[in-house]
Amino acid sequence: METSKRHLSISVIYWITNISFWIFVAASLLAVAIAIGLFFNLFGDDLNLHVGLPVSFDLLETGKLQLQNSSIDVKFVEAYGNIGFSELPSFVGKIYGVFMLVVIGIFFYIFKIFRTFVQNVYKGEYFETSNFLLLRKAGYGVLIFWLIILIYSILQYFILAQNLAFDSLELSGSIEFHGEVVFVALFLLMLSQIFLQGAKLQEDNQLTI
Amino acid sequence: MAIIVNLDVVLAQRKMSLTELSNSVGITMANLSILKKGKAKAIRFSTLESICEKLNCQPGEILEYKPENGGGE
């Protein structure tokens, strides 16, 4: 094992990851309870479900921007937001319940893998085959996560956004493809290959007498 | 691997144990054991020099090339 001094960034990431992980676990338990409640319609009309819209919308509003002693007319061009159900249809609750469970499950899987990877690095185990496997799993996990949020966005676009009507705003834009998530997944897969090469080099180095 | 390490043969000829060699050349027993069993992927010139110096032999006595699967020269 490496005995070199641990860099401050590793310690910071280690503690942030650990604290966030346990906060996430607590939040997930609550979210799972809500998801089950949604699926079995346990909340009735008591739950005011807020659902994020997959498209941006134009508010038909104008305003003033005070800048350098002058007032400039501005128009609200684009915003993102949620819609709240005052009466939640039971089939919508079922869909969101299942969706929440799947997303929590996958996110938990990715987070757990990432935490194990950070713990390995914290212990000084950098170029190990286990780290290559962890990063590869995380990469594929993020790709699956992207697929699910893409499906979610498409469904929301065609089921919700296309059928929404408001007096003072116009829905605009198209479905978001969340390219940044794919980039993260590909970056993780690329990192996993770097760690694989590192593990091979480390093995060669250890077996050089 | 086609390179055979004959360290055990040379040690036997010199009537020296692996522990003695380890103590005199400053290479750990674990590393010498890896070398002796032929599991090493490479050997440093400095290591080879130390071993040859202590065993009073040539590198060719410790390392031997044997083609695999009957091929080669």
PDB file of all heavy atoms in Angstrom, chain A residues 27-43 47 49 88 93 96-98 100-101 104:
ATOM      1  N   ALA A  27     -32.921  10.499   3.153  1.00  0.00           N
ATOM      2  CA  ALA A  27     -33.886  11.085   2.209  1.00  0.00           C
ATOM      3  C   ALA A  27     -34.527  10.001   1.354  1.00  0.00           C
ATOM      4  O   ALA A  27     -35.725  10.062   1.023  1.00  0.00           O
ATOM      5  CB  ALA A  27     -33.195  12.123   1.327  1.00  0.00           C
ATOM      6  N   SER A  28     -33.717   8.996   0.995  1.00  0.00           N
ATOM      7  CA  SER A  28     -34.234   7.906   0.147  1.00  0.00           C
ATOM      8  C   SER A  28     -35.313   7.112   0.868  1.00  0.00           C
ATOM      9  O   SER A  28     -36.316   6.715   0.264  1.00  0.00           O
ATOM     10  CB  SER A  28     -33.107   6.945  -0.239  1.00  0.00           C
ATOM     11  OG  SER A  28     -32.212   7.603  -1.049  1.00  0.00           O
ATOM     12  N   LEU A  29     -35.079   6.869   2.165  1.00  0.00           N
ATOM     13  CA  LEU A  29     -36.073   6.113   2.933  1.00  0.00           C
ATOM     14  C   LEU A  29     -37.415   6.852   2.931  1.00  0.00           C
ATOM     15  O   LEU A  29     -38.479   6.243   2.752  1.00  0.00           O
ATOM     16  CB  LEU A  29     -35.580   5.885   4.366  1.00  0.00           C
ATOM     17  CG  LEU A  29     -34.426   4.894   4.507  1.00  0.00           C
ATOM     18  CD1 LEU A  29     -33.920   4.867   5.942  1.00  0.00           C
ATOM     19  CD2 LEU A  29     -34.847   3.491   4.072  1.00  0.00           C
ATOM     20  N   LEU A  30     -37.330   8.170   3.098  1.00  0.00           N
ATOM     21  CA  LEU A  30     -38.539   8.992   3.077  1.00  0.00           C
ATOM     22  C   LEU A  30     -39.190   8.947   1.689  1.00  0.00           C
ATOM     23  O   LEU A  30     -40.409   8.776   1.558  1.00  0.00           O
ATOM     24  CB  LEU A  30     -38.174  10.440   3.449  1.00  0.00           C
ATOM     25  CG  LEU A  30     -39.327  11.415   3.588  1.00  0.00           C
ATOM     26  CD1 LEU A  30     -40.177  11.063   4.800  1.00  0.00           C
ATOM     27  CD2 LEU A  30     -38.800  12.841   3.731  1.00  0.00           C
ATOM     28  N   ALA A  31     -38.324   9.051   0.656  1.00  0.00           N
ATOM     29  CA  ALA A  31     -38.830   9.049  -0.718  1.00  0.00           C
ATOM     30  C   ALA A  31     -39.467   7.701  -1.066  1.00  0.00           C
ATOM     31  O   ALA A  31     -40.486   7.650  -1.776  1.00  0.00           O
ATOM     32  CB  ALA A  31     -37.702   9.375  -1.686  1.00  0.00           C
ATOM     33  N   VAL A  32     -38.867   6.618  -0.568  1.00  0.00           N
ATOM     34  CA  VAL A  32     -39.429   5.283  -0.833  1.00  0.00           C
ATOM     35  C   VAL A  32     -40.820   5.184  -0.187  1.00  0.00           C
ATOM     36  O   VAL A  32     -41.770   4.668  -0.800  1.00  0.00           O
ATOM     37  CB  VAL A  32     -38.475   4.173  -0.304  1.00  0.00           C
ATOM     38  CG1 VAL A  32     -39.184   2.823  -0.244  1.00  0.00           C
ATOM     39  CG2 VAL A  32     -37.250   4.072  -1.188  1.00  0.00           C
ATOM     40  N   ALA A  33     -40.930   5.716   1.039  1.00  0.00           N
ATOM     41  CA  ALA A  33     -42.232   5.702   1.724  1.00  0.00           C
ATOM     42  C   ALA A  33     -43.269   6.493   0.912  1.00  0.00           C
ATOM     43  O   ALA A  33     -44.410   6.041   0.729  1.00  0.00           O
ATOM     44  CB  ALA A  33     -42.087   6.283   3.128  1.00  0.00           C
ATOM     45  N   ILE A  34     -42.854   7.653   0.395  1.00  0.00           N
ATOM     46  CA  ILE A  34     -43.773   8.473  -0.417  1.00  0.00           C
ATOM     47  C   ILE A  34     -44.135   7.735  -1.707  1.00  0.00           C
ATOM     48  O   ILE A  34     -45.306   7.720  -2.128  1.00  0.00           O
ATOM     49  CB  ILE A  34     -43.133   9.856  -0.721  1.00  0.00           C
ATOM     50  CG1 ILE A  34     -43.002  10.672   0.571  1.00  0.00           C
ATOM     51  CG2 ILE A  34     -43.956  10.634  -1.752  1.00  0.00           C
ATOM     52  CD1 ILE A  34     -42.216  11.958   0.425  1.00  0.00           C
ATOM     53  N   ALA A  35     -43.115   7.098  -2.327  1.00  0.00           N
ATOM     54  CA  ALA A  35     -43.355   6.382  -3.579  1.00  0.00           C
ATOM     55  C   ALA A  35     -44.357   5.242  -3.375  1.00  0.00           C
ATOM     56  O   ALA A  35     -45.273   5.043  -4.195  1.00  0.00           O
ATOM     57  CB  ALA A  35     -42.034   5.841  -4.120  1.00  0.00           C
ATOM     58  N   ILE A  36     -44.203   4.511  -2.278  1.00  0.00           N
ATOM     59  CA  ILE A  36     -45.129   3.411  -1.981  1.00  0.00           C
ATOM     60  C   ILE A  36     -46.525   3.978  -1.726  1.00  0.00           C
ATOM     61  O   ILE A  36     -47.531   3.446  -2.211  1.00  0.00           O
ATOM     62  CB  ILE A  36     -44.611   2.572  -0.780  1.00  0.00           C
ATOM     63  CG1 ILE A  36     -43.337   1.820  -1.205  1.00  0.00           C
ATOM     64  CG2 ILE A  36     -45.665   1.584  -0.293  1.00  0.00           C
ATOM     65  CD1 ILE A  36     -42.580   1.179  -0.066  1.00  0.00           C
ATOM     66  N   GLY A  37     -46.558   5.103  -0.982  1.00  0.00           N
ATOM     67  CA  GLY A  37     -47.838   5.770  -0.714  1.00  0.00           C
ATOM     68  C   GLY A  37     -48.525   6.220  -1.995  1.00  0.00           C
ATOM     69  O   GLY A  37     -49.736   6.067  -2.161  1.00  0.00           O
ATOM     70  N   LEU A  38     -47.711   6.734  -2.936  1.00  0.00           N
ATOM     71  CA  LEU A  38     -48.261   7.178  -4.227  1.00  0.00           C
ATOM     72  C   LEU A  38     -48.831   5.998  -5.008  1.00  0.00           C
ATOM     73  O   LEU A  38     -49.914   6.064  -5.600  1.00  0.00           O
ATOM     74  CB  LEU A  38     -47.162   7.834  -5.070  1.00  0.00           C
ATOM     75  CG  LEU A  38     -46.863   9.307  -4.830  1.00  0.00           C
ATOM     76  CD1 LEU A  38     -45.613   9.721  -5.585  1.00  0.00           C
ATOM     77  CD2 LEU A  38     -48.039  10.163  -5.272  1.00  0.00           C
ATOM     78  N   PHE A  39     -48.041   4.918  -4.998  1.00  0.00           N
ATOM     79  CA  PHE A  39     -48.452   3.740  -5.779  1.00  0.00           C
ATOM     80  C   PHE A  39     -49.768   3.165  -5.263  1.00  0.00           C
ATOM     81  O   PHE A  39     -50.636   2.786  -6.046  1.00  0.00           O
ATOM     82  CB  PHE A  39     -47.348   2.673  -5.727  1.00  0.00           C
ATOM     83  CG  PHE A  39     -47.608   1.524  -6.652  1.00  0.00           C
ATOM     84  CD1 PHE A  39     -47.311   1.638  -8.008  1.00  0.00           C
ATOM     85  CD2 PHE A  39     -48.160   0.345  -6.194  1.00  0.00           C
ATOM     86  CE1 PHE A  39     -47.574   0.597  -8.881  1.00  0.00           C
ATOM     87  CE2 PHE A  39     -48.431  -0.706  -7.054  1.00  0.00           C
ATOM     88  CZ  PHE A  39     -48.125  -0.573  -8.406  1.00  0.00           C
ATOM     89  N   PHE A  40     -49.907   3.104  -3.962  1.00  0.00           N
ATOM     90  CA  PHE A  40     -51.134   2.522  -3.394  1.00  0.00           C
ATOM     91  C   PHE A  40     -52.181   3.587  -3.054  1.00  0.00           C
ATOM     92  O   PHE A  40     -53.171   3.280  -2.395  1.00  0.00           O
ATOM     93  CB  PHE A  40     -50.787   1.702  -2.139  1.00  0.00           C
ATOM     94  CG  PHE A  40     -50.005   0.459  -2.465  1.00  0.00           C
ATOM     95  CD1 PHE A  40     -48.661   0.360  -2.153  1.00  0.00           C
ATOM     96  CD2 PHE A  40     -50.605  -0.610  -3.109  1.00  0.00           C
ATOM     97  CE1 PHE A  40     -47.923  -0.768  -2.466  1.00  0.00           C
ATOM     98  CE2 PHE A  40     -49.882  -1.758  -3.422  1.00  0.00           C
ATOM     99  CZ  PHE A  40     -48.539  -1.834  -3.104  1.00  0.00           C
ATOM    100  N   ASN A  41     -51.932   4.792  -3.515  1.00  0.00           N
ATOM    101  CA  ASN A  41     -52.874   5.911  -3.340  1.00  0.00           C
ATOM    102  C   ASN A  41     -53.253   6.110  -1.856  1.00  0.00           C
ATOM    103  O   ASN A  41     -54.414   6.308  -1.517  1.00  0.00           O
ATOM    104  CB  ASN A  41     -54.132   5.654  -4.187  1.00  0.00           C
ATOM    105  CG  ASN A  41     -54.914   6.923  -4.446  1.00  0.00           C
ATOM    106  OD1 ASN A  41     -54.355   8.026  -4.340  1.00  0.00           O
ATOM    107  ND2 ASN A  41     -56.194   6.789  -4.754  1.00  0.00           N
ATOM    108  N   LEU A  42     -52.238   6.036  -1.002  1.00  0.00           N
ATOM    109  CA  LEU A  42     -52.484   6.144   0.439  1.00  0.00           C
ATOM    110  C   LEU A  42     -52.729   7.589   0.877  1.00  0.00           C
ATOM    111  O   LEU A  42     -53.294   7.838   1.925  1.00  0.00           O
ATOM    112  CB  LEU A  42     -51.292   5.580   1.228  1.00  0.00           C
ATOM    113  CG  LEU A  42     -50.952   4.105   1.006  1.00  0.00           C
ATOM    114  CD1 LEU A  42     -49.730   3.698   1.816  1.00  0.00           C
ATOM    115  CD2 LEU A  42     -52.141   3.213   1.379  1.00  0.00           C
ATOM    116  N   PHE A  43     -52.269   8.533   0.048  1.00  0.00           N
ATOM    117  CA  PHE A  43     -52.378   9.934   0.457  1.00  0.00           C
ATOM    118  C   PHE A  43     -53.713  10.575   0.057  1.00  0.00           C
ATOM    119  O   PHE A  43     -54.090  11.600   0.586  1.00  0.00           O
ATOM    120  CB  PHE A  43     -51.237  10.757  -0.164  1.00  0.00           C
ATOM    121  CG  PHE A  43     -49.875  10.270   0.226  1.00  0.00           C
ATOM    122  CD1 PHE A  43     -49.043   9.669  -0.703  1.00  0.00           C
ATOM    123  CD2 PHE A  43     -49.419  10.399   1.529  1.00  0.00           C
ATOM    124  CE1 PHE A  43     -47.787   9.213  -0.348  1.00  0.00           C
ATOM    125  CE2 PHE A  43     -48.166   9.945   1.890  1.00  0.00           C
ATOM    126  CZ  PHE A  43     -47.353   9.343   0.951  1.00  0.00           C
ATOM    127  N   LEU A  47     -51.839  14.834  -0.637  1.00  0.00           N
ATOM    128  CA  LEU A  47     -50.495  15.123  -1.143  1.00  0.00           C
ATOM    129  C   LEU A  47     -50.596  16.027  -2.364  1.00  0.00           C
ATOM    130  O   LEU A  47     -51.269  15.701  -3.333  1.00  0.00           O
ATOM    131  CB  LEU A  47     -49.796  13.808  -1.520  1.00  0.00           C
ATOM    132  CG  LEU A  47     -48.351  13.978  -1.975  1.00  0.00           C
ATOM    133  CD1 LEU A  47     -47.445  14.225  -0.782  1.00  0.00           C
ATOM    134  CD2 LEU A  47     -47.885  12.752  -2.734  1.00  0.00           C
ATOM    135  N   LEU A  49     -48.729  16.820  -5.115  1.00  0.00           N
ATOM    136  CA  LEU A  49     -47.546  16.349  -5.849  1.00  0.00           C
ATOM    137  C   LEU A  49     -47.048  17.426  -6.809  1.00  0.00           C
ATOM    138  O   LEU A  49     -47.813  17.973  -7.603  1.00  0.00           O
ATOM    139  CB  LEU A  49     -47.890  15.068  -6.627  1.00  0.00           C
ATOM    140  CG  LEU A  49     -46.746  14.437  -7.409  1.00  0.00           C
ATOM    141  CD1 LEU A  49     -45.708  13.832  -6.482  1.00  0.00           C
ATOM    142  CD2 LEU A  49     -47.277  13.381  -8.370  1.00  0.00           C
ATOM    143  N   LEU A  88     -54.825  14.616  -7.311  1.00  0.00           N
ATOM    144  CA  LEU A  88     -53.931  13.688  -8.001  1.00  0.00           C
ATOM    145  C   LEU A  88     -54.686  12.453  -8.491  1.00  0.00           C
ATOM    146  O   LEU A  88     -55.205  11.687  -7.694  1.00  0.00           O
ATOM    147  CB  LEU A  88     -52.807  13.259  -7.050  1.00  0.00           C
ATOM    148  CG  LEU A  88     -51.741  12.349  -7.643  1.00  0.00           C
ATOM    149  CD1 LEU A  88     -50.908  13.094  -8.666  1.00  0.00           C
ATOM    150  CD2 LEU A  88     -50.840  11.805  -6.541  1.00  0.00           C
ATOM    151  N   GLY A  93     -50.345   8.890  -9.854  1.00  0.00           N
ATOM    152  CA  GLY A  93     -49.637   8.533  -8.626  1.00  0.00           C
ATOM    153  C   GLY A  93     -48.877   7.230  -8.783  1.00  0.00           C
ATOM    154  O   GLY A  93     -47.730   7.113  -8.351  1.00  0.00           O
ATOM    155  N   TYR A  96     -45.776   7.812 -11.056  1.00  0.00           N
ATOM    156  CA  TYR A  96     -44.700   8.533 -10.364  1.00  0.00           C
ATOM    157  C   TYR A  96     -44.113   7.714  -9.220  1.00  0.00           C
ATOM    158  O   TYR A  96     -42.913   7.794  -8.942  1.00  0.00           O
ATOM    159  CB  TYR A  96     -45.185   9.898  -9.872  1.00  0.00           C
ATOM    160  CG  TYR A  96     -45.198  10.908 -10.989  1.00  0.00           C
ATOM    161  CD1 TYR A  96     -46.388  11.347 -11.539  1.00  0.00           C
ATOM    162  CD2 TYR A  96     -44.002  11.377 -11.521  1.00  0.00           C
ATOM    163  CE1 TYR A  96     -46.394  12.246 -12.599  1.00  0.00           C
ATOM    164  CE2 TYR A  96     -43.995  12.269 -12.573  1.00  0.00           C
ATOM    165  CZ  TYR A  96     -45.192  12.701 -13.108  1.00  0.00           C
ATOM    166  OH  TYR A  96     -45.182  13.576 -14.147  1.00  0.00           O
ATOM    167  N   GLY A  97     -44.956   6.913  -8.569  1.00  0.00           N
ATOM    168  CA  GLY A  97     -44.476   6.035  -7.497  1.00  0.00           C
ATOM    169  C   GLY A  97     -43.434   5.057  -8.012  1.00  0.00           C
ATOM    170  O   GLY A  97     -42.348   4.935  -7.449  1.00  0.00           O
ATOM    171  N   VAL A  98     -43.759   4.389  -9.131  1.00  0.00           N
ATOM    172  CA  VAL A  98     -42.835   3.414  -9.714  1.00  0.00           C
ATOM    173  C   VAL A  98     -41.564   4.133 -10.180  1.00  0.00           C
ATOM    174  O   VAL A  98     -40.439   3.681  -9.917  1.00  0.00           O
ATOM    175  CB  VAL A  98     -43.499   2.672 -10.898  1.00  0.00           C
ATOM    176  CG1 VAL A  98     -42.478   1.855 -11.682  1.00  0.00           C
ATOM    177  CG2 VAL A  98     -44.612   1.765 -10.383  1.00  0.00           C
ATOM    178  N   MET A 100     -40.248   6.923  -9.144  1.00  0.00           N
ATOM    179  CA  MET A 100     -39.423   7.359  -8.006  1.00  0.00           C
ATOM    180  C   MET A 100     -38.604   6.199  -7.455  1.00  0.00           C
ATOM    181  O   MET A 100     -37.412   6.350  -7.156  1.00  0.00           O
ATOM    182  CB  MET A 100     -40.316   7.918  -6.884  1.00  0.00           C
ATOM    183  CG  MET A 100     -40.623   9.389  -7.028  1.00  0.00           C
ATOM    184  SD  MET A 100     -41.785   9.948  -5.781  1.00  0.00           S
ATOM    185  CE  MET A 100     -40.729  10.080  -4.352  1.00  0.00           C
ATOM    186  N   LEU A 101     -39.246   5.020  -7.347  1.00  0.00           N
ATOM    187  CA  LEU A 101     -38.540   3.851  -6.794  1.00  0.00           C
ATOM    188  C   LEU A 101     -37.360   3.454  -7.685  1.00  0.00           C
ATOM    189  O   LEU A 101     -36.267   3.159  -7.188  1.00  0.00           O
ATOM    190  CB  LEU A 101     -39.499   2.670  -6.644  1.00  0.00           C
ATOM    191  CG  LEU A 101     -40.460   2.749  -5.458  1.00  0.00           C
ATOM    192  CD1 LEU A 101     -41.451   1.590  -5.499  1.00  0.00           C
ATOM    193  CD2 LEU A 101     -39.698   2.726  -4.131  1.00  0.00           C
ATOM    194  N   ILE A 104     -34.571   6.154  -7.428  1.00  0.00           N
ATOM    195  CA  ILE A 104     -33.882   6.067  -6.122  1.00  0.00           C
ATOM    196  C   ILE A 104     -32.949   4.853  -6.114  1.00  0.00           C
ATOM    197  O   ILE A 104     -31.807   4.930  -5.687  1.00  0.00           O
ATOM    198  CB  ILE A 104     -34.890   5.973  -4.960  1.00  0.00           C
ATOM    199  CG1 ILE A 104     -35.627   7.299  -4.805  1.00  0.00           C
ATOM    200  CG2 ILE A 104     -34.198   5.612  -3.640  1.00  0.00           C
ATOM    201  CD1 ILE A 104     -36.870   7.211  -3.946  1.00  0.00           C
TER     202      ILE A 104
END
